[in-house]
Amino acid sequence: MRKALAMIVTAVAALAVTGVAHAESRDAAPGAVSWEQCPDIPGAECGALRVPLDYRNPDGRTIEIAISRIRSTAPEKRRGVLFTNPGGPGVAGRDFPAALVAEGLPRSVRDAYDLIGIDPRGVGRSTPVTCDLTPEQIIRGNIPPYAVTPDDVTAWARQAHRIAGQCAASTSAWMLPHVSTANAARDLDRVRVALGERTASFLGYSYGTYLGAVYTTLFPHTTDRVVLDSSLHEKGWDVDGGRAYGRGFEERFPDFAAWAAARPEYRLGRTPAQVRATYLDLAGRLDRAPVQGVDGASFRLFSFIYSYDDRRFPLMAASWKALAENQPLPVVDAAPAPAPDPENAIAARLHTVCADSRWPTAVGVYRANVAADRIRYPLFGAAAANIQPCAFWRDPVEPPVRIGDRGPATVLIAQNDRDPGTPLSGARSMRRALGDRAVMVHADQGGHGAFVFTPNRCLNTAVESFLVTGERPAHDRWCRAEAR
């Protein structure tokens, strides 16, 4: 089960803006991209680009950014390039265009754009970072363990401090101050220039929404159509962004509870209220006495991750039943494939979120946050609010990019109403920050990932139309639920 959890967790998976946006929009000196067929991505070309490690010193040390391209299927209809990002941070994106095509990306979008995938700086086949994490540290890398008591926060703080120290002492520590969302956005514009494009469009999911918002803030006149899907709030993965998991799971859980209550074969409860009671009871039992190596923190974690997609509900229910009855756990064949290098994925995530903003440094702040969120969001709040290694990180080398409403009105936010990872409240906050630049389309659906990944034709049509024609709804729009 520990191995399965590592697979699940690794899959989920900045200069002040005032007076800077105009300067950031200058074309950088173009580099060269040599393309060849990707050996691991059918139908795609792969290449790489050298970019500055530190954009404050553009002629200094460089790192490599790995890129893929799936060319437009109808060159006569081609509008330009569409940068894509699957989220994370820490998730490789070079193969994401192929994943979108496999998931059913509309032909009209494929006709309109060359699809561009990028492993962000520090990730995957780009120049990578490491924190020399142990398997146990990898499992807990995305989300801290659920803190049953205040002492659990203090105990985990010691582990978080150790992880931060490992990152600072690793062989890639020279990259540590510069693996940030702002620099990843600057890398995107370098790729645009290298591709010979006047503008570039963007489609990003989850953390990719923050990357897209920073990108179009720094480069408002060279970003074209920007889709932010399953949005973080406008400050990204800061301490409040992490705490949003607690709210998100509370809002998503009723979908699973209703599903399980309608399937008596799992024996989890005859009503949604009984299913919720089963979760709380089983979590408490596992806190006191783990079963098959699964403790309460691990149980809460995999339940949260499985809630990302309705298609994982059967595995989630079967796992609960097995733990309740002390039977063999089901084979985890419905989980996402593991990252090629899970250690790199978690290390890159930590580098990015810790460089993007200053986190509270006092353990007492996290103890208070955990105490509050254990009451507000009893299902998962005491995990989401627990202390992160960022509390022990060096200060960022530049302040966060402030997302605002200055720039062209070329942003569309797409969102499910009950998203466990990036709840609707975050999308609404991002929408307010972007002001007249953005319009939001949200749907009465559950799960993480809206466009392409949910069956809602109303939402999917709105996003497709925007990417292909540039037409957005005149006002924010709500779409009724549709069955898969």
Side-chain angles (χ1 to χ4, degrees):
M1 189 63 177
R2 294 285 182 178
K3 181 179 179 181
L5 284 172
M7 294 170 62
I8 297 164
V9 174
T10 56
V12 274
L15 285 149
V17 175
T18 305
V20 171
H22 207 55
E24 293 277 7
S25 299
R26 294 177 299 176
D27 283 354
V33 180
S34 298
W35 296 103
E36 58 183 22
Q37 289 301 119
C38 300
D40 55 335
I41 310 175
E45 303 169 291
C46 284
L49 181 69
R50 304 297 301 188
V51 300
L53 169 68
D54 183 353
Y55 279 90
R56 299 169 303 175
N57 181 21
D59 297 322
R61 192 170 187 174
T62 63
I63 57 174
E64 190 167 81
I65 302 299
I67 312 165
S68 73
R69 176 173 64 185
I70 298 179
R71 291 182 180 271
S72 164
T73 51
E76 70 280 3
K77 299 180 181 179
R78 181 184 181 278
R79 175 177 178 81
V81 297
L82 179 65
F83 292 149
T84 64
N85 183 276
V91 176
R94 198 178 63 111
D95 61 350
F96 191 51
L100 286 171
V101 170
E103 196 71 29
L105 185 71
R107 173 67 63 175
S108 60
V109 178
R110 297 179 60 191
D111 288 347
Y113 298 98
D114 293 346
L115 307 178
I116 307 298
I118 300 173
D119 284 357
R121 58 171 52 209
V123 179
R125 293 178 185 261
S126 295
T127 304
V129 295
T130 180
C131 290
D132 300 315
L133 301 172
T134 67
E136 181 66 22
Q137 289 172 333
I138 292 170
I139 290 174
R140 302 297 187 195
N142 272 353
I143 306 170
Y146 189 95
V148 178
T149 70
D151 288 344
D152 290 339
V153 180
T154 304
W156 182 246
R158 291 192 289 270
Q159 298 298 322
H161 186 272
R162 182 175 296 113
I163 291 172
Q166 290 172 207
C167 296
S170 76
T171 56
S172 62
W174 56 275
M175 292 179 62
L176 189 146
H178 309 295
V179 181
S180 67
T181 299
N183 282 332
R186 295 173 181 123
D187 294 342
L188 290 178
D189 206 57
R190 285 288 180 121
V191 173
R192 174 193 65 79
V193 173
L195 296 178
E197 300 289 336
R198 187 180 62 83
T199 62
S201 293
F202 182 90
L203 170 61
Y205 294 78
S206 192
Y207 159 77
T209 62
Y210 182 56
L211 174 59
V214 170
Y215 179 41
T216 196
T217 296
L218 294 180
F219 303 98
H221 303 297
T222 56
T223 47
D224 189 12
R225 298 165 185 172
V226 176
V227 177
L228 310 180
D229 192 300
S230 308
S231 186
L232 286 166
H233 72 175
E234 72 281 6
K235 295 182 181 179
W237 280 127
D238 63 355
V239 64
D240 293 323
R243 292 177 72 182
Y245 284 147
R247 176 173 182 168
F249 193 37
E250 290 286 343
E251 294 175 348
R252 171 61 163 156
F253 191 84
D255 291 340
F256 172 74
W259 182 94
R263 291 161 175 81
E265 63 270 24
Y266 291 110
R267 297 195 287 274
L268 301 179
R270 297 181 179 181
T271 67
Q274 290 179 351
V275 174
R276 182 182 176 92
T278 296
Y279 173 91
L280 294 171
D281 177 69
L282 187 52
R285 288 165 52 191
L286 293 169
D287 285 333
R288 295 185 294 272
V291 173
Q292 302 179 57
V294 180
D295 59 13
S298 300
F299 167 75
R300 294 177 180 92
L301 177 61
F302 80 69
S303 297
F304 169 72
I305 298 299
Y306 285 158
S307 75
Y308 272 40
D309 191 330
D310 290 1
R311 292 171 291 187
R312 299 187 203 170
F313 283 0
L315 181 58
M316 182 170 168
S319 299
W320 286 25
K321 181 175 181 290
L323 289 169
E325 299 174 359
N326 200 12
Q327 297 296 318
L329 288 160
V331 176
V332 187
D333 57 0
D341 183 351
E343 196 280 336
N344 168 248
I346 301 304
R349 174 185 176 85
L350 291 174
H351 278 65
T352 304
V353 300
C354 301
D356 279 353
S357 64
R358 286 184 173 87
W359 288 60
T361 59
V363 176
V365 170
Y366 298 91
R367 289 167 66 111
N369 289 348
V370 165
D373 287 6
R374 187 186 294 113
I375 295 171
R376 291 197 300 172
Y377 310 122
L379 300 179
F380 201 62
N386 203 352
I387 193 166
Q388 300 260 13
C390 298
F392 307 102
W393 215 260
R394 66 177 66 175
D395 286 343
V397 298
E398 60 176 323
V401 174
R402 182 181 179 276
I403 307 302
D405 59 0
R406 298 180 62 182
T410 55
V411 181
L412 179 65
I413 299 172
Q415 182 76 25
N416 292 327
D417 284 353
R418 297 176 304 284
D419 185 322
T422 53
L424 181 60
S425 58
R428 285 176 167 156
S429 183
M430 179 71 83
R431 168 70 180 85
R432 287 192 297 270
L434 287 166
D436 291 340
R437 294 200 67 187
V439 168
M440 182 164 72
V441 177
H442 61 108
D444 182 14
Q445 304 283 163
H448 190 54
F451 178 56
V452 177
F453 295 98
T454 58
N456 195 282
R457 288 171 294 179
C458 167
L459 182 146
N460 283 319
T461 298
V463 177
E464 178 184 1
S465 177
F466 172 62
L467 285 173
V468 175
T469 71
E471 296 181 5
R472 301 184 310 176
H475 307 284
D476 290 354
R477 181 178 181 183
W478 178 74
C479 297
R480 297 183 182 278
E482 297 181 33
R484 185 177 292 277

